[in-house]
């Protein structure tokens, strides 16, 4: 049957067992971040459009052409967040946290929206797992967030990832670097399209975001941000490198890394996986010492990163967690109450397991058919086939105070006293 409705272009459904992998990755993220004092922040998807223009930057691709922006019924311009850092900073200021004790450690997990051309690993609705650390001016902040990031990535099974690292310096660096970059590119810009011409005039750094081969060629031999760093930024960067080496975090300098958002100062970084076809970044981040103040708060330095969860899970060597599954089959409607009691007992004997009662009380035959169909779907549901059990509850069992348990993978069947249920199922799990 051809479906009448389809998901919107660039969006998709997450089904089991993939959703189990996502939940598992998010569980590990929460645990890792929480253990280092980070608290979860949830900001709205909708923000005032001006917030992103002001923070991410008017001339960035994100703000210029990728935002889902609309007027609400009162004519306010609203945008579905294309990223979460701006919203976090807005919330921190609005809720009085920017004037409170520092450092402030926050993380978030949630959907973001960008009107990009969908391709492998690139969606219009995608999810980010992000971290923001506010109030720490020194390189210890870089070390903390990157160490935590690597702890998370290693817990997901990654071994060979490395950070690409650069410094974009201060606001003054940006200006002098921008001018030098423009001077380098102008004589090579004859073939540029309208958009890249605009970048060249308004914000030459943004040319680094261009995929156009002509622009890439024009950038060859271009000046590097490093050549324009002020003394303080240079010292900061050297110290960051020293601390990362000290913490055993693999990194490599990437002098052409500038990142596609305007709020960065000094440290910027990305992690790229070769397993992602298009060589897209799994994650990106950096320091943004001027953003809190530019959004109307006090002067508070900050740093953070956001992982693209869709891309992360595409390449993460993380299996869906396996859970034992039990179907309790009452033979007739009179057996349902007893079946429900047994299901409760099994749930407490099999923490993390999945126990359901055949509420239709279809009897053994149809009940088994139902259990078998669950069994057939086992791969789809990420359930360990060896841990799938059916438990029969009928008149005979009730009279004898016993239960009959069938292991679906092998068809083995056993009847034993009900009092032994918890112990036996616990043991069955070990097998
Ligand atoms: P970003 O580099 O724009 O940075 O995005 C971070 C990550 O989100 C990317 O590396 C990528 O994995 C993922 N991502 C971006 N666009 C898409 C898409 N269309 N489809 C799938 N995944 C995508 C930020 O958003 C900054 N807020 C990061 C940050 C936090 N900097 C400081 N704090």
């Amino acid at each position: 049957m051809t479906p009448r409705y389809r998901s919107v272009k660039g969006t998709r459904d997450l089904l089991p067992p993939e959703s189990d992998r996502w939940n598992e990755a998010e569980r590990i993220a929460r645990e890792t971040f929480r253990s280092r004092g980070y608290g979860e922040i949830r900001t709205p998807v909708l923000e005032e459009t001006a917030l992103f223009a002001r923070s991410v930057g008017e001339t960035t691709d994100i703000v210029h052409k990728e935002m889902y922006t609309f007027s609400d019924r009162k004519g306010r311009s609203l945008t579905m967040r294309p990223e979460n850092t701006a919203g976090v900073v807005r919330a921190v200021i609005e809720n009085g946290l920017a004037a409170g004790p520092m450092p402030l450690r926050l993380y978030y997990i949630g959907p973001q929206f960008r009107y990009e051309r969908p391709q492998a690993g690139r969606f219009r609705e995608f999810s980010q797992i992000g971290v923001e650390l506010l109030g720490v001016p020194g390189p210890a902040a870089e070390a903390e967030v990157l160490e935590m990031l690597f702890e998370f990535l290693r817990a997901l099974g990654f071994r060979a990832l490395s950070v690409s690292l650069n410094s974009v310096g201060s606001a003054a660096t940006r200006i002098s670097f921008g001018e030098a970059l423009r001077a380098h590119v102008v004589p090579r810009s004859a073939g540029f399209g309208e958009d890249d011409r605009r970048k060249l005039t308004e914000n030459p750094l943004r040319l680094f975001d261009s995929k156009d081969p002509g622009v890439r060629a024009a950038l060859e031999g271009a000046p590097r941000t490093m050549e324009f760093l002020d003394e303080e930024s240079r010292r900061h960067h050297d110290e960051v490198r020293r601390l990362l080496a000290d913490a055993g975090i693999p990194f490599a300098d990437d002098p052409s890394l500038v990142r596609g958002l305007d709020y960065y100062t000094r440290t910027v970084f990305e992690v790229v996986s070769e397993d992602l076809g298009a060589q897209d970044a799994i994650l990106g981040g950096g320091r943004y010492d001027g953003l809190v103040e530019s959004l109307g708060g006090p002067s508070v330095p900050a740093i953070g990163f956001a992982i693209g969860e869709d891309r992360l899970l595409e390449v993460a060597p993380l299996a869906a967690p396996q859970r034992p599954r039990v179907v309790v089959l009452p033979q007739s409607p009179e057996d349902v109450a007893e079946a429900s009691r047994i299901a409760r007992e099994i749930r407490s004997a099999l923490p993390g397991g999945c126990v359901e009662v055949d509420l239709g009380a279809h009897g053994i035959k149809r009940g088994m058919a139902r259990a078998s169909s669950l069994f057939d779907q086992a791969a789809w549901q990420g359930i360990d086939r060896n841990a799938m059990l059916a438990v029969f509850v009928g008149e005979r069992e009730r009279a004898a105070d016993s239960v009959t348990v069938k292991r679906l993978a092998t068809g083995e069947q056993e009847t034993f006293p009900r009092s032994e249920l918890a112990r036996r199922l616990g043991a069955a799990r070990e097998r």
Side-chain angles (χ1 to χ4, degrees):
M1 199 172 70
T2 322
R4 188 182 301 180
Y5 301 106
R6 291 175 182 281
S7 62
V8 170
K9 185 171 177 186
T11 72
R12 62 190 177 138
D13 306 305
L14 261 189
L15 306 174
E18 194 51 15
S19 50
D20 281 339
R21 288 182 73 233
W22 280 56
N23 280 322
E24 181 65 0
E26 291 174 12
R27 187 190 63 73
I28 296 171
R30 289 196 158 87
E31 213 171 277
T32 309
F33 303 159
R34 216 185 284 130
S35 76
R36 290 170 178 248
Y38 286 74
E40 180 170 356
I41 180 165
R42 302 190 190 194
T43 67
V45 164
L46 286 180
E47 297 277 2
E48 272 181 58
T49 303
L51 174 71
F52 301 112
R54 177 84 199 154
S55 54
V56 174
E58 202 86 62
T59 57
T60 57
D61 283 349
I62 296 178
V63 172
H64 193 68
K65 52 187 181 196
E66 294 173 0
M67 294 208 302
Y68 279 90
T69 296
F70 61 93
S71 294
D72 74 2
R73 285 167 190 274
K74 285 273 165 63
R76 303 177 193 96
S77 181
L78 302 181
T79 293
M80 293 169 75
R81 62 182 185 200
E83 61 101 55
N84 220 154
T85 306
V88 167
V89 171
R90 195 259 320 129
V92 161
I93 299 170
E94 186 174 344
N95 293 284
L97 303 178
M102 293 287 158
L104 187 57
R105 295 182 166 95
L106 298 168
Y107 75 88
Y108 50 83
I109 300 176
Q112 320 292 332
F113 302 84
R114 294 184 194 177
Y115 194 86
E116 292 194 80
R117 206 150 55 90
Q119 59 183 64
R122 180 169 300 150
F123 305 95
R124 290 183 173 168
E125 175 175 356
F126 60 98
S127 178
Q128 285 184 343
I129 300 179
V131 159
E132 313 291 354
L133 166 61
L134 289 91
V136 183
E142 275 86 343
E144 173 170 307
V145 294
L146 284 165
E147 223 183 292
M148 185 168 79
L149 169 65
F150 268 74
E151 188 185 322
F152 172 59
L153 294 173
R154 286 175 179 143
L156 294 190
F158 287 107
R159 290 293 172 265
L161 295 178
S162 151
V163 183
S164 308
L165 190 68
N166 195 23
S167 174
V168 295
S170 61
T173 309
R174 244 185 148 68
I175 294 170
S176 48
F177 171 67
E179 278 164 9
L181 190 60
R182 190 182 289 123
H184 174 86
V185 173
V186 165
R188 299 169 169 81
S189 64
F192 279 21
E194 194 191 324
D195 196 37
D196 293 315
R197 216 171 277 288
R198 171 188 65 85
K199 289 178 178 172
L200 184 56
T201 317
E202 295 175 359
N203 188 355
L205 262 77
R206 297 281 59 96
L207 290 169
F208 283 101
D209 308 334
S210 179
K211 304 252 181 321
D212 185 286
V215 176
R216 298 233 154 252
L219 287 171
E220 267 169 39
R224 308 288 176 85
T225 55
M226 283 288 174
E227 299 156 20
F228 297 84
L229 290 195
D230 53 290
E231 198 45 43
E232 245 327 275
S233 296
R234 189 178 302 279
R235 237 181 300 143
H236 185 98
H237 191 62
D238 290 343
E239 184 61 8
V240 168
R241 294 167 44 98
R242 201 185 62 75
L243 290 176
L244 294 188
D246 216 47
I249 295 167
F251 67 91
D253 289 310
D254 178 355
S256 60
L257 180 66
V258 298
R259 308 263 305 122
L261 303 94
D262 275 348
Y263 49 61
Y264 291 114
T265 53
R266 296 191 175 165
T267 313
V268 288
F269 57 88
E270 279 184 358
V271 170
V272 172
S273 163
E274 285 174 10
D275 297 335
L276 283 172
Q279 280 285 298
D280 276 324
I282 302 183
L283 64 95
R287 182 172 274 285
Y288 48 96
D289 288 345
L291 184 60
V292 181
E293 194 168 14
S294 88
L295 294 181
S299 170
V300 176
I303 184 172
F305 63 79
I307 304 170
E309 200 175 358
D310 306 74
R311 293 181 191 175
L312 178 79
L313 280 141
E314 209 167 294
V315 291
L318 175 80
Q322 299 282 309
R323 292 191 187 88
R325 178 158 198 154
V326 181
V327 189
V328 185
L329 301 173
Q331 216 163 20
S332 74
E334 287 75 61
D335 302 316
V336 170
E338 172 70 352
S340 298
R341 274 192 291 276
I342 287 182
R344 274 197 293 278
E345 276 173 42
I346 300 175
R347 277 187 202 106
S348 49
L350 288 180
C354 170
V355 186
E356 71 172 88
V357 179
D358 174 26
L359 290 177
H362 295 111
I364 299 298
K365 203 152 162 248
R366 280 180 62 200
M368 269 313 288
R370 159 110 183 102
S372 301
S373 80
L374 283 174
F375 180 57
D376 291 339
Q377 293 169 13
W380 183 77
Q381 298 198 327
I383 302 290
D384 178 0
R385 285 172 168 248
N386 287 315
M388 292 196 71
L389 304 170
V391 175
F392 304 126
V393 182
E395 211 182 324
R396 193 165 58 91
E397 280 84 5
R398 272 198 292 140
D401 205 19
S402 67
V403 282
T404 301
V405 175
K406 183 172 181 137
R407 179 174 295 274
L408 269 69
T410 57
E412 280 170 74
Q413 185 170 314
E414 233 186 322
T415 300
F416 48 77
R418 207 187 129 176
S419 56
E420 288 179 23
L421 183 65
R423 190 178 59 76
R424 296 255 191 164
L425 288 189
R429 191 188 191 183
E430 306 303 313
R431 280 217 258 156

